[in-house]
Amino acid sequence: MFADDTKIAHPVGTEEDIENMQKDIDNLHSWAGRWQMRYNADKCGVMHVGYHNPHHTYHMGNDTLRVTPEEKDLGVLIHQSLKVSTQCAAAAKKANRVLGMIKRSFQYRSREVILKLYKSLVRPHLDYCMQAWCPYLEKDKKTLEKVQARATKLIPNLKDLPYEIRLRRLNLTTLEVRRKRGDLIQAYRIITQLDNIDPNSIFQKTIYQGTRGHSQKLAKTRPRLDVRKHFYSQRVVDSWNKLPEDVIQSQTLLTFKMKLSKLGY
């Protein structure tokens, strides 16, 4: 439960799993009735995830729960395929809407003004919860990158320059590099337990250390599906293992960020 959102997740592969899932829903329905805060069944839905999901029909009280292919969870669109194209398009749309407002509202577009507006009002839509929905398809990456390209063109004396040069002049990185930086920072927060997350629930330490790299290498599995291969816990492993020892041993998060910047992140 979080605010007014309630979610139940359960692996379903057998008849017993289906019964347990229905029992969980029944228990939740009974609890809500006791506390006089009944759920609106019309607003509740079931998302079936996985190729071998039996797609069972579930009930809440006397109501049949609708099947939904997509739901918004804390501002992020989750599709039953676990692909992120819809979320990428939605984030780009929001960012472009704000960018259009800036373009219509500000006639004086100096470097300092546009950068502050972009970083405070536009880029947060492209960065929000990125560890959960980082794009891996080229078309999705381009969808997001076009927003930043459009923003840098708002500066009059830079609009005719190539995108890469505009980024250098503005001391910006591509969004793809920024996403990798965010992944590494989040990995540092989890591994050093700055966040209240058990590192063993996300990562697995490698047994073989070898002579190269640092002392906190992570193990990488070989998932069968591309979707799983690009999950956060998988995609960050290679970047993390390539970091120098002195970066990994940073005593504070600020020091870690500063050393990442020196490496080009």
Side-chain angles (χ1 to χ4, degrees):
M1 294 183 175
F2 184 85
D4 60 347
D5 288 336
T6 303
K7 288 172 283 291
I8 300 177
H10 202 293
V12 174
T14 65
E15 288 296 326
E16 184 180 0
D17 293 335
I18 292 174
E19 292 177 5
N20 289 334
M21 182 67 175
Q22 184 61 59
K23 285 180 182 177
D24 287 344
I25 297 173
D26 293 340
N27 290 336
L28 184 67
H29 180 66
S30 299
W31 174 86
R34 287 197 304 273
W35 287 91
Q36 299 182 14
M37 47 176 291
R38 295 185 182 277
Y39 289 96
N40 185 344
D42 293 335
K43 293 184 178 180
C44 299
V46 177
M47 180 183 292
H48 300 295
V49 180
Y51 292 114
H52 303 295
N53 194 301
H55 290 241
H56 183 76
T57 300
Y58 298 95
H59 300 83
M60 179 174 280
N62 296 323
D63 298 305
T64 299
L65 295 178
R66 64 184 174 85
V67 176
T68 176
E70 185 177 79
E71 285 292 330
K72 181 175 285 188
D73 185 11
L74 301 181
V76 178
L77 289 172
I78 308 296
H79 193 270
Q80 64 181 7
S81 67
L82 300 183
K83 295 181 179 179
V84 298
S85 295
T86 307
Q87 171 61 24
C88 287
K93 184 177 181 180
K94 287 181 183 178
N96 274 320
R97 191 183 300 126
V98 177
L99 204 55
M101 180 193 67
I102 292 173
K103 186 176 181 180
R104 293 190 299 271
S105 304
F106 289 84
Q107 292 185 351
Y108 180 71
R109 301 175 190 166
S110 68
R111 165 181 170 152
E112 292 74 17
V113 169
I114 294 301
L115 271 180
K116 286 184 179 180
L117 291 171
Y118 170 67
K119 290 181 178 180
S120 60
L121 299 179
V122 180
R123 196 167 65 181
H125 290 294
L126 307 176
D127 286 345
Y128 173 71
C129 208
M130 184 53 68
Q131 283 67 42
W133 62 274
C134 182
Y136 62 90
L137 297 176
E138 285 301 320
K139 67 181 185 67
D140 293 333
K141 293 179 182 180
K142 289 179 180 179
T143 297
L144 299 180
E145 205 69 48
K146 284 179 180 178
V147 180
Q148 181 164 270
R150 182 184 173 204
T152 57
K153 277 192 171 185
L154 291 180
I155 302 172
N157 60 342
L158 297 181
K159 65 180 182 180
D160 295 327
L161 297 175
Y163 179 51
E164 292 75 14
I165 296 178
R166 295 201 302 272
L167 291 181
R168 287 200 296 269
R169 295 280 182 89
L170 297 173
N171 197 26
L172 295 173
T173 63
T174 64
L175 292 177
E176 185 170 9
V177 171
R178 183 172 174 81
R179 288 191 292 270
K180 289 183 180 179
R181 173 185 172 88
D183 283 353
L184 290 169
I185 291 173
Q186 185 60 54
Y188 178 86
R189 294 178 67 93
I190 293 173
I191 292 172
T192 58
Q193 296 186 307
L194 291 176
D195 288 344
N196 188 23
I197 300 174
D198 179 9
N200 296 321
S201 68
I202 306 293
F203 303 121
Q204 180 181 353
K205 292 286 185 70
T206 183
I207 299 176
Y208 173 75
Q209 292 292 338
T211 58
R212 295 185 179 182
H214 54 78
S215 57
Q216 297 190 41
K217 287 185 179 180
L218 303 176
K220 189 173 185 180
T221 60
R222 293 185 177 180
R224 182 173 57 87
L225 301 176
D226 279 348
V227 170
R228 173 62 179 160
K229 183 171 66 176
H230 294 285
F231 273 11
Y232 171 73
S233 59
Q234 293 291 315
R235 68 171 184 266
V236 74
V237 171
D238 287 340
S239 299
W240 176 265
N241 288 345
K242 291 178 182 177
L243 291 177
E245 180 72 26
D246 69 302
V247 178
I248 296 298
Q249 297 299 332
S250 299
Q251 296 299 309
T252 65
L253 181 60
L254 179 59
T255 303
F256 182 77
K257 290 180 177 179
M258 292 173 61
K259 290 182 177 180
L260 282 184
S261 298
K262 292 180 180 179
L263 293 176
Y265 289 104

